[in-house]
Amino acid sequence: DKFLSKMSAASGMDLTNLRSATGTFALLGRSMGMTTDQAEILSTTSTQLGLGLASLVNVPVAQALGDIKSGLVGQTETMYKYGVDLTEASLKEEALAEGISKSVRQMSQGEKMALRYNLMLKQTALTHGDFARTIESPANQVKILSERLVTAGRAIGTMFIPALTVILPIANAVLIIVTKLANALAAFFGYTP
């Protein structure tokens, strides 16, 4: 969380969105058999990669993060637009380069995901740190503005939570009564509610 707080402060990205993305990557890593430490590395570097890809290709950060997640689980098409080849042939080459003789088809999903992750990092070297290098560009300033609006909206929304905890149960009760009255009225006129 300290890392994400620093990342949010430096980049202007919404902390809750960063936590969500990083958490999703960490859960994905754990579900594929990674250790907690490996999943942490995967999650933080994938989130950073998402910022870099979004900056270099000028797509929304959420889209880049979603594309990385899809690429990690084997949906290779989502990463083609970034120049990343995650096909089985590329995985085979990467495995051989890493000294792995096991056939890609015999690998677990976790092993394949690790190879995809390695390929992503290698094939996106140009994007690493692009967001930080070009943070002052209009495209990145628009991304930051959008994220800051989300943060502001969330902050304003939390001010209304105490009022909503009182109002929502009353609103739900009123709607239950209105629904019962409408059903009774429909039944009175011979309609099946």
Side-chain angles (χ1 to χ4, degrees):
D1 200 52
K2 287 180 186 178
F3 171 79
L4 293 176
S5 295
K6 287 180 183 178
M7 181 187 245
S8 174
S11 68
M13 295 292 110
D14 180 67
L15 181 58
T16 302
N17 288 347
L18 289 175
R19 284 178 179 150
S20 177
T22 305
T24 298
F25 287 125
L27 289 173
L28 180 62
R30 293 293 291 148
S31 74
M32 295 290 194
M34 292 184 167
T35 66
T36 302
D37 291 340
Q38 291 169 331
E40 181 182 339
I41 292 167
L42 170 89
S43 65
T44 55
T45 56
S46 294
T47 302
Q48 289 174 311
L49 178 59
L51 288 176
L53 285 174
S55 173
L56 188 68
V57 184
N58 195 24
V59 296
V61 173
Q63 179 184 336
L65 292 168
D67 290 343
I68 291 169
K69 183 180 82 168
S70 296
L72 285 172
V73 297
Q75 298 172 354
T76 62
E77 298 83 17
T78 61
M79 293 302 293
Y80 279 140
K81 66 182 147 223
Y82 306 109
V84 178
D85 179 10
L86 301 174
T87 59
E88 189 172 333
S90 292
L91 293 180
K92 183 179 178 180
E93 289 175 21
E94 180 63 16
L96 291 173
E98 293 293 324
I100 301 169
S101 59
K102 187 177 185 180
S103 167
V104 172
R105 291 185 182 200
Q106 294 175 340
M107 290 182 180
S108 69
Q109 286 301 316
E111 291 168 325
K112 290 178 189 177
M113 189 171 78
L115 289 176
R116 289 183 200 109
Y117 173 68
N118 282 348
L119 283 170
M120 281 186 195
L121 291 179
K122 287 178 181 178
Q123 295 178 18
T124 60
L126 183 61
T127 69
H128 299 183
D130 188 75
F131 189 85
R133 283 190 301 275
T134 61
I135 198 164
E136 296 297 327
S137 71
N140 283 340
Q141 286 297 306
V142 168
K143 287 177 181 73
I144 292 169
L145 176 65
S146 174
E147 289 285 317
R148 292 190 190 258
L149 287 171
V150 168
T151 303
R154 194 173 281 119
I156 292 167
T158 58
M159 290 186 330
F160 295 106
I161 288 175
L164 289 175
T165 58
V166 173
I167 295 170
L168 288 177
I170 295 168
N172 283 325
V174 168
L175 287 176
I176 290 170
I177 293 168
V178 168
T179 302
K180 287 181 180 181
L181 288 173
N183 287 339
L185 190 60
F188 178 75
F189 287 111
Y191 297 109
T192 304

